[in-house]
Amino acid sequence: WLADLPVPLPGNYLRGMDVQKVDFERGLHSYLLGRWKDRGWWYYYVVCAVLKVPLGTWALGLLAVALTLGRWGPAVRKKKRETGVGRAEAQRDRAGWADELVLLAPAVVLVVFVSSQTGFSRHFRYVLPAFPFLFIWISQVACAARRRPRTIGVLVAGALVWSATSSLWIYPHSM
């Protein structure tokens, strides 16, 4: 009866997911940090991200985390309570959280789901669909750089140059 259930996704997309699931269930030899194993590791994709994503991109991501914590952190909430923030601003804050959740949730769900499939760990490409969501979320640093060009702007420019330079440095052996 499931075969007759309409799904709003292309048929080849679903068949590809089925084929991949069979591979994960069967299990294959996996390699990570000099060690072979009959199955995979749950942390494989995190280790790959640390090793393969340029350090400048990591710096931009950490800056985005710092900006988010600065906007939504406990100290900011306490200050808003003390100053008596109005209902309209509280609604804007909730909308801001919702916007960030829309970007971060698909990326986190995808990475957690793929990491839970430990039949084999070979290809970093399985988590690449999470990257567009993360890059859009990270792009918030551009607005902060425009507001504070001498501090955050210099950090963002440096991280962008670092990321581009490190990517070009290893060309044509990049992913």
Side-chain angles (χ1 to χ4, degrees):
W1 65 271
L2 283 175
D4 297 328
L5 188 67
V7 178
L9 296 170
N12 286 337
Y13 183 78
L14 294 174
R15 281 187 286 283
M17 288 172 51
D18 286 341
V19 168
Q20 194 59 61
K21 182 69 175 153
V22 168
D23 286 343
F24 278 121
E25 289 170 352
R26 183 177 37 160
L28 298 167
H29 290 304
S30 300
Y31 180 82
L32 178 66
L33 300 174
R35 184 169 165 234
W36 283 95
K37 189 175 171 185
D38 286 336
R39 302 200 58 83
W41 295 267
W42 67 267
Y43 53 86
Y44 176 84
Y45 300 101
V46 175
V47 171
C48 285
V50 169
L51 295 174
K52 292 184 179 221
V53 173
L55 293 175
T57 305
W58 277 108
L60 289 169
L62 292 173
L63 186 56
V65 168
L67 291 170
T68 300
L69 292 177
R71 257 193 336 271
W72 312 109
V76 174
R77 285 196 312 265
K78 181 180 176 188
K79 183 178 178 185
K80 286 180 180 180
R81 274 195 309 269
E82 290 171 354
T83 58
V85 170
R87 177 172 276 187
E89 190 167 334
Q91 285 178 326
R92 276 196 305 275
D93 284 351
R94 280 194 294 281
W97 262 112
D99 291 343
E100 293 204 27
L101 191 59
V102 164
L103 286 172
L104 291 176
V108 170
V109 166
L110 180 74
V111 171
V112 167
F113 175 72
V114 171
S115 295
S116 72
Q117 306 300 309
T118 59
F120 72 94
S121 300
R122 277 202 188 157
H123 307 290
F124 186 58
R125 67 177 177 237
Y126 298 127
V127 295
L128 290 181
F131 278 52
F133 296 102
L134 296 172
F135 288 150
I136 292 170
W137 180 75
I138 287 171
S139 71
Q140 67 181 300
V141 301
C143 292
R146 219 174 71 201
R147 283 192 304 269
R148 293 184 262 170
R150 290 184 186 248
T151 55
I152 294 176
V154 169
L155 291 172
V156 169
L160 284 170
V161 168
W162 189 8
S163 188
T165 303
S166 65
S167 293
L168 291 172
W169 187 268
I170 61 165
Y171 181 80
H173 305 290
S174 56
M175 243 173 81

